[in-house]
Amino acid sequence: MSDELAFEKRYFGHRARLVLTPAQSALIDDQAHAARAMWNLLHEWWTMLPKHQRSLTAADVAIRRARKEIDWLAALPAQGAQAVLRTYYRAWKNCWEGRADEPRFKARYRTPMSVDLPQGEHLKVARVHRRWGMVNITKVGRVRFHWSKDLPVGKLTNTHDRISGARLVKDALGWHIAFRVQSLIPKPEPHPGPQVGIDMGVKVPLALSDGTAFRHDSWLNGPEREELLRLERQAEHRKRCRHPGEKTSRRLQATYDQIRALHARAKRRRLNWQHQITTAIARTYGTVVVERLHITAMLGSAKGTVEEPGRCVPQKSGLNRAISEQAWGRTIEMLAYKTAHNGGSLIKVPAADTSRRCSMCGLITPGSRESQAVFVCKNADCGWSGNADHNAACNILHLYRAGHALAPVAGRRSRQARKRVEPTTAR
């Protein structure tokens, strides 16, 4: 077998936390604000010009001139400014092809701060300690980051295994760097593992058809939950004391920052748990079967209208929060690429009646779900009882074995594309 058939290119990302001094953090903040302002100026310039005058060359000339004439825009490196232009043009291309909406103005407080570093050879990543690495950031200098994954650096770097670029991203816990890594690895052999169905729920996040269940505790411990409750009450009190139309005070903004930090900590722990569980599943099973869940529809509000108000609105709001915290969509995405990397496959089946049907006799009888956790078949010829989540996982696997696998869904379309009606006759 030739090398072209035995190996394949794989692209993946790795995110690490940066350790910055106050001066370095201020420099990266200036670059992020300049990048956001560059996007907004480019958007105003692009939408203002007639269509026949829009071109990448003209936009490149305008960006170069702006960086020379406006001092604070020069804080953004030239490669970062070119990356803003490429990202903006790609956003319009996705809009023209119906994959996304039109690019919009980036507000200061609603847009995550980020800076693109497109030149991988300029990063000069090096490992200096078992837990630390160094990376070069343009106009900032050498910066330390937490080394938690082996990266192709030094003598290992070649045309196949290399860091093609990176992106600086800021969240409530500080600045992080996301590396874009390209590697050449052997093609995975078909996974010899068994088939398994997975049911995703709120009480039991992941229930497998072989009886395995993956659970987790609260993402925040007791003192952290108490601190979050105190901060939310404090923010509500300070918000009530603010006069209508008055700008948010620094104290209120500081409280909001502390709340975001706690939520970001919980999200980081949730991501860590999801990565560990999905990796274990992808390495153990050859075929993973899940439901195709319409999560957006499941998170709909129950408020209703003034004429027809909804019922059990607080309960539905709590259920929506619980579903959002589980992040089922991200779990499915992780399973998709991890099963493919291990030689397995991810299959989706219809989600209708998987929790109401008995996995032993295959019939749906009213009143079988006596509780959230127990399933008791009311069929006189069956009478099987067991865990409800395990029963649903078995039904999911049975649907795949019966040939009810669904075809892959195309990428997300924009609102304009979804509303567009195709002509019934050819012109």
Side-chain angles (χ1 to χ4, degrees):
M1 183 178 291
S2 62
D3 293 341
E4 289 78 6
L5 297 179
F7 291 86
E8 65 179 1
K9 284 186 178 181
R10 180 176 296 178
Y11 301 90
F12 64 91
H14 172 62
R15 181 164 172 165
R17 183 165 59 90
L18 294 175
V19 182
L20 304 173
T21 63
Q24 291 174 338
S25 180
L27 290 175
I28 300 181
D29 287 345
D30 294 340
Q31 292 187 14
H33 289 305
R36 181 187 57 83
M38 184 73 72
W39 173 283
N40 293 334
L41 292 174
L42 184 61
H43 181 63
E44 294 293 335
W45 178 86
W46 186 275
T47 55
M48 179 184 62
L49 287 180
K51 291 185 178 180
H52 66 277
Q53 296 183 7
R54 300 174 184 173
S55 65
L56 289 178
T57 304
D60 184 37
V61 173
I63 287 178
R64 294 175 184 271
R65 185 179 303 172
R67 293 185 68 254
K68 290 182 180 179
E69 297 178 355
I70 304 176
D71 295 336
W72 54 270
L73 280 181
L76 182 66
Q79 295 84 2
Q82 296 298 320
V84 173
L85 175 59
R86 287 193 298 269
T87 305
Y88 182 77
Y89 180 75
R90 191 183 305 115
W92 272 112
K93 190 175 180 180
N94 293 335
C95 175
W96 297 331
E97 296 177 358
R99 294 192 298 268
D101 298 328
E102 294 183 359
R104 298 181 180 180
F105 179 87
K106 289 188 176 183
R108 179 183 180 93
Y109 294 105
R110 293 195 303 269
T111 304
M113 299 178 65
S114 62
V115 181
D116 201 2
L117 306 175
Q119 302 294 335
E121 60 272 13
H122 295 169
L123 297 176
K124 299 180 181 179
V125 179
R127 187 174 187 177
V128 296
H129 188 263
R130 183 170 61 91
R131 295 184 179 180
W132 299 102
M134 297 290 290
V135 61
N136 184 60
I137 300 178
T138 308
K139 294 192 175 183
V140 177
R142 300 292 287 175
V143 176
R144 289 195 305 166
F145 68 91
H146 284 267
W147 188 280
S148 57
K149 184 181 180 66
D150 291 336
L151 298 172
V153 298
K155 297 181 180 180
L156 298 177
T157 305
N158 51 54
T159 57
H160 301 298
D161 299 326
R162 64 188 181 91
I163 298 176
S164 59
R167 188 175 185 86
L168 304 177
V169 183
K170 187 177 185 180
D171 60 9
L173 298 177
W175 279 101
H176 296 72
I177 182 168
F179 295 102
R180 294 188 289 268
V181 184
Q182 171 187 326
S183 61
L184 188 68
I185 62 172
K187 288 186 177 180
E189 298 292 334
H191 199 296
Q195 301 173 351
V196 67
I198 299 179
D199 176 67
M200 300 184 182
V202 176
K203 294 294 183 180
V204 180
L206 296 178
L208 278 58
S209 57
D210 59 1
T212 307
F214 295 99
R215 296 179 173 86
H216 58 76
D217 297 329
S218 177
W219 305 120
L220 296 177
N221 56 32
E224 290 172 340
R225 291 196 299 270
E226 294 177 0
E227 179 68 11
L228 178 61
L229 180 60
R230 185 190 67 82
L231 290 173
E232 289 176 346
R233 291 175 177 174
Q234 185 181 79
E236 186 63 25
H237 173 72
R238 290 176 175 175
K239 187 177 179 180
R240 288 199 306 265
C241 296
R242 186 179 57 178
H243 297 289
E246 186 180 359
K247 186 178 179 181
T248 303
S249 64
R250 293 185 179 181
R251 289 185 177 182
L252 180 57
Q253 192 63 44
T255 305
Y256 285 154
D257 292 339
Q258 293 175 346
I259 294 175
R260 293 191 193 100
L262 287 174
H263 285 302
R265 187 181 304 173
K267 181 179 179 181
R268 183 176 60 181
R269 294 170 181 172
R270 179 168 58 247
L271 280 172
N272 181 47
W273 183 85
Q274 286 179 313
H275 274 293
Q276 293 182 7
I277 298 303
T278 53
T279 299
I281 293 175
R283 291 176 178 176
T284 305
Y285 303 97
T287 302
V288 179
V289 189
V290 297
E291 300 172 294
R292 176 175 289 176
L293 299 174
H294 300 280
I295 302 176
T296 304
M298 296 172 63
L299 296 177
S301 176
K303 291 183 178 180
T305 60
V306 178
E307 295 78 9
E308 298 181 1
R311 297 180 301 174
C312 301
V313 178
Q315 292 81 352
K316 185 61 169 65
S317 299
L319 177 62
N320 292 346
R321 286 193 298 269
I323 294 175
S324 300
E325 288 179 357
Q326 297 301 331
W328 295 337
R330 188 186 299 116
T331 302
I332 294 175
E333 291 179 359
M334 291 181 181
L335 285 173
Y337 76 81
K338 290 183 180 182
T339 51
H341 290 174
N342 287 274
S345 59
L346 178 73
I347 308 297
K348 293 184 180 181
V349 297
D353 297 328
T354 55
S355 61
R356 300 173 59 240
R357 180 182 290 107
C358 177
S359 60
M360 297 300 293
C361 64
L363 297 179
I364 300 176
T365 55
S368 297
R369 292 292 298 270
E370 292 187 349
S371 66
Q372 182 67 26
V374 179
F375 183 93
V376 179
C377 183
K378 298 300 182 179
N379 183 13
D381 298 332
C382 179
W384 178 85
S385 63
N387 184 269
D389 299 311
H390 172 66
N391 175 75
C394 292
N395 286 327
I396 293 171
L397 183 59
H398 292 164
L399 286 174
Y400 165 68
R401 291 176 175 174
H404 295 284
L406 297 175
V409 180
R412 187 184 73 88
R413 297 184 300 167
S414 63
R415 288 193 291 267
Q416 290 82 355
R418 290 194 294 267
K419 295 178 181 178
R420 192 179 300 126
V421 179
E422 297 295 338
T424 56
T425 58
R427 295 182 180 180

